[in-house]
Amino acid sequence: MAGMSSKRLQKELVKIQGTLPPGISLVSAPDLKEWQMDISVLDNPLYPPADKYRLRFTFSPSYPIEAPEVVFLAAPDRNIPMHPHIYSNGIICLDLLDSQGWSPVHNVESVCISIQSMLASNTKAERPPGDKEFVRSNRQRPRDINFLYHDPTV
Amino acid sequence: MAHLADALKEQGNKAFKNGDFLEAEDFYTQAVQKFSRNPLLFTNRANARLKLQRWEGAVNDCLKSLEISGKAQNHKAYYFLAQAQLSLHHPNEALSSALTAYEQVRNPAPTTKTSPKDLETFSAFVLKCKKAKFAVRDRERLRRQGDLRAEFENTLELNKQRDLDEVSRDLQAGDLGQVEAYERNQEILTNFENKRAELLTVFALADPSHHKPREIPDHLVDMITFEPMHDPVMTINGHSYERSTIYEHLKRSKTDPLTREPLTIDDLRPNFGLKAACDEFWDSGASDWIIDW
C-alpha cells in the first residue's frame, strides 16, 4: 500500500531531527522519497574525523518492508571513502542493504551506524577488486546487483 | 435474466476500471434491475458510489448486499460500508464494520476469494477508524469541560465538512470533474490538518499541563510501521508485531526481522495480553491528544 513508507518516514524524520549519534547528521530530507545524510568516522586514521561522507537514501513506497537504496555521493567537498566494499561510483556492498540481508526493523539511523562502523573497522585503503571494470560497465540499480560477499568479516 | 445482468456488470466493471464511475454506476443499476439477487452487483455499485462520494447510496448498497449474502462471507461489503460510514462521520459504526471485514479476511471461508493486499488494507483502515473514534471522544471530553480548544477544533471540523459537502454537491451536479473534485478534497483535507496542527501547537505552548501531546507507549507500537497496533502477534523470540505488517514481511523473507532465524506465518501466535493492553489504550478516555499519528 502506498501509505506505508510515508507514515513511517515522517516518524523517523521527527526522531532524527532530535538526536543522532556522534558523526552522523541529516543533510536534507526535502520529501519522503530521498534523504541525504553525512557521516564521519571518529577513530580510524584512514578517515580523518574532519572528513565527511555524503550518503543518499532512496525509499520505495514499500519501505521499510523493502530496503532503501543507499549510495555514497561525490561532491566538491565530499569524497567516496576508500574501502574494499565501496566502489568508486559510490555503490556500497553491504549485506543489510540487499533484499536478502535487509530487515524492516532497520531504519535510516541504524543503516548509518552500520556503514560508519564498516568504515571504522577497515584497515585497507583500497577499492574492491574489479572496481574500474564494474564502474564502467554497471548500469544496474544497486539492489539488483548480486554481490558476492567474499569477505564476511569486514 | 441473470446472464443479462452479468453482461451489464462486466460493462460496469470496465467503466469502473477506466475511471468513469458515473457510467459504471449506471450499468450496475441496470444490472440490478435485470437480476437483483447477486450481492456483487451491490458491492460493485457501492464502490462506484464511494468514488462519486454518494455515501448514503453506498451504505444502502452495502446493506442490501449483506442482506442477500446472509451468513456467507462478504468482506468487501463490510469494507465499503466502513468507508461510507467514516465519511458520514460515524466512526463507531465504521470501526465495527471495518473490524468485521478484517476478521473475515483473516479467517476466510474456504471458497471465498481474497486478495493478498486485503489484510494490509483492512488493517490500515481499522487503525484509521480507531483514530477517528479516539479524536471524536477526545473532543467530546474537552467540550464537556467547556474547553476553548474543542470549540475551535469543532469549528474547523465543521468548516471542513461544509467544504467537502460542497465539493460532493458540485460533483454530483456535474459542475466539477472527478479529478478536480479529488484535488479539491485533498486540498481541503491538507488545509484542515495544517490548521488543526497549528491550533494544537498553540494550545500546547500556552497550557502544557492540559494540552501536552501524549506519546504512545513503545510497547504498543509496531516496530515496522511505527503505528500503534490493534492485532499484535508474537514471533518465536517473543517480540510482537502488527499481524498485517509481519505477514507482509514474511511474504518477501521467511525470517524473523530481529534474529534472522527462519520464521513462517504458522510460527506466529496471537498476543492476547498485549492486545488487551492496546485495547485499553484505545479505550482510555484520552487525557491528552496524541502527537503525530
Side-chain angles (χ1 to χ4, degrees), chain A residues 1 4 7-8 10-12 14-15 62 64-66 96 99-107, chain B residues 117 120-121 124 131 223-228 241 245 248-249 252-253 256-258 260 292-293:
Chain A
M1 214 173 70
M4 186 185 270
K7 268 281 161 62
R8 152 105 180 213
Q10 275 166 12
K11 287 176 190 183
E12 277 198 49
V14 172
K15 277 194 183 161
S62 309
I65 296 288
E66 269 174 21
L96 78 81
S99 53
Q100 301 302 306
W102 172 255
S103 155
V105 294
H106 287 303
N107 53 52
Chain B
K117 277 281 171 203
E120 196 187 341
T121 316
K131 288 172 181 179
M223 274 184 285
I224 297 175
T225 54
F226 291 7
E227 291 266 32
Y241 302 86
T245 38
E248 202 54 35
H249 164 70
R252 314 206 183 202
S253 157
D256 186 300
L258 278 172
R260 308 203 162 284
D292 146 54
W293 277 114

Side-chain angles (χ1 to χ4, degrees), chain B residues 128 196 211:
Chain B
K128 197 170 166 186
R196 179 164 176 268
H211 300 284

Side-chain angles (χ1 to χ4, degrees), chain B residues 269-292:
Chain B
R269 296 288 176 269
N271 189 339
F272 293 120
L274 190 55
K275 186 171 165 49
C278 294
D279 288 344
E280 195 178 276
F281 165 77
W282 288 111
D283 293 335
S284 64
S287 60
D288 301 289
W289 57 285
I290 296 202
I291 192 164
D292 146 54

Side-chain angles (χ1 to χ4, degrees), chain B residues 110-129:
Chain B
T111 52
T112 35
K113 269 200 312 199
T114 57
S115 127
K117 277 281 171 203
D118 279 351
L119 191 71
E120 196 187 341
T121 316
F122 293 5
S123 182
F125 201 76
V126 166
L127 193 62
K128 197 170 166 186
C129 294

